[in-house]
Amino acid sequence: KQEVTQIPAALSVPEGENLVLNCSFTDSAIYNLQWFRQDPGKGLTSLLLIQSSQREQTSGRLNASLDKSSGRSTLYIAASQPGDSATYLCAASTGANSKLTFGKGITLSVRP
Amino acid sequence: GAVVSQHPSWVICKSGTSVKIECRSLDFQATTMFWYRQFPKQSLMLMATSNEGSKATYEQGVEKDKFLINHASLTLSTLTVTSAHPEDSSFYICSVLGRTQGGTDTQYFGPGTRLTVL
C-alpha cells in the first residue's frame, strides 16, 4: 500500500527566500506524482505533474523533481512571496486507475 | 483542464438528517469521478470512485450504505451522506478524471464542500 509522507508539517520563511518542500513515497512503481496547492477552506490547484518517466517539471518559479529509486520528490520555490503562503500537498498515482494517495501537506507561511 | 463545480460550498445540518452534495463537470464529459474527505490538518482520503452508469467502488472502511454515490450522467455525480452525525463533519472534495493536452490521465478537483453536522 502506497504511503506518502511530507515533513515538516509547517514551514515559515522570510520573503525572497528559495525553499524546498520534500515528499517521500514508499512504492516506487508510480504512474505519476503531482504537487497541489490548497488555500484555507478551498479546493486543490494542480501545480505540477511529473510522469514516471520524467525527472522534473518547471512552471514559473516552481520546479518539481522526481527520484523514483529513492522514493522522493521535491518542490522548489524560487524567490518566495507572501502570496505563496498555502498548504502544499503531493500525491502519488500508482496505476492506470489513476487513484491518488496524498500526503498530509506542508503549510507554508512566507513572512513579508 | 476540466472545470469542476460543487454544490453547496458549505452546509450545516442537524444530526440524523441526510445531505446531498453535487459534483459537476462543467466543460467535460467525465466517465470517472472521485470523492475524497479531508479532516482538519489531514490529507485527502479517497472515499470512492464513481463510474457513470454503474455502481461506485468504495475504499476499504467506507460504508457504502451511509455514503450513497450516484453518477447518473457524464457531468454529474452526487454524494449523499445519510443519517449524518457530528463525526461526519468534514471537507468533501470531488474530482473528475480527465486528460492533459499531453495525453496524461489526471484528476481535476472541485472547490470542496464543508459539511458541519450539529
Side-chain angles (χ1 to χ4, degrees):
Chain A
K1 179 184 175 184
Q2 178 73 274
E3 292 182 5
V4 178
T5 303
Q6 294 182 255
I7 296 174
L11 186 63
S12 180
V13 300
E15 182 177 5
E17 192 163 296
N18 301 325
L19 58 102
V20 174
L21 306 181
N22 295 305
C23 171
S24 61
F25 47 93
T26 55
D27 186 349
S28 62
I30 61 172
Y31 186 60
N32 59 53
L33 187 132
Q34 281 187 269
W35 282 91
F36 296 88
R37 170 183 172 140
Q38 185 176 32
D39 291 289
K42 304 294 185 182
L44 274 65
T45 301
S46 179
L47 298 174
L48 289 164
L49 183 153
I50 312 176
Q51 295 278 41
S52 63
S53 58
Q54 298 172 324
R55 292 192 65 84
E56 65 177 352
Q57 283 286 330
T58 298
S59 176
R61 294 183 293 110
L62 306 179
N63 176 276
S65 67
L66 176 63
D67 184 343
K68 287 199 306 177
S69 61
S70 66
R72 292 182 188 176
S73 176
T74 61
L75 178 67
Y76 175 82
I77 302 176
S80 58
Q81 304 170 357
D84 295 330
S85 299
T87 296
Y88 292 82
L89 299 119
C90 71
S93 175
T94 44
N97 60 12
S98 299
K99 286 185 180 181
L100 291 174
T101 301
F102 283 85
K104 290 185 178 181
I106 299 174
T107 299
L108 172 66
S109 174
V110 181
R111 308 186 300 271
Chain B
V3 179
V4 182
S5 70
Q6 284 185 238
H7 178 81
S9 55
W10 60 269
V11 57
I12 301 173
C13 70
K14 293 183 179 179
S15 184
T17 60
S18 294
V19 175
K20 179 185 286 187
I21 301 171
E22 294 184 347
C23 176
R24 292 185 184 272
S25 177
L26 299 182
D27 59 350
F28 174 75
Q29 292 188 325
T31 303
T32 302
M33 295 184 178
F34 300 90
W35 285 97
Y36 295 84
R37 179 169 53 184
Q38 184 181 33
F39 292 107
K41 299 191 184 300
Q42 298 296 314
S43 63
L44 276 73
M45 298 299 295
L46 179 64
M47 299 175 67
T49 303
S50 169
N51 298 297
E52 187 268 336
S54 63
K55 291 182 179 180
T57 303
Y58 290 81
E59 295 299 300
Q60 191 173 10
V62 178
E63 300 175 59
K64 62 181 181 181
D65 293 331
K66 180 169 184 61
F67 299 99
L68 301 179
I69 292 173
N70 184 283
H71 191 161
S73 77
L74 289 172
T75 59
L76 174 65
S77 176
T78 60
L79 168 68
T80 301
V81 183
T82 62
S83 186
H85 288 93
E87 58 265 30
D88 298 322
S89 299
S90 186
F91 193 54
Y92 292 86
I93 305 178
C94 73
S95 69
V96 306
L97 183 63
R99 188 158 285 184
T100 67
Q101 288 187 338
T104 302
D105 285 343
T106 190
Q107 294 182 34
Y108 299 94
F109 286 82
T113 297
R114 171 74 59 193
L115 170 64
T116 301
V117 185
L118 302 176

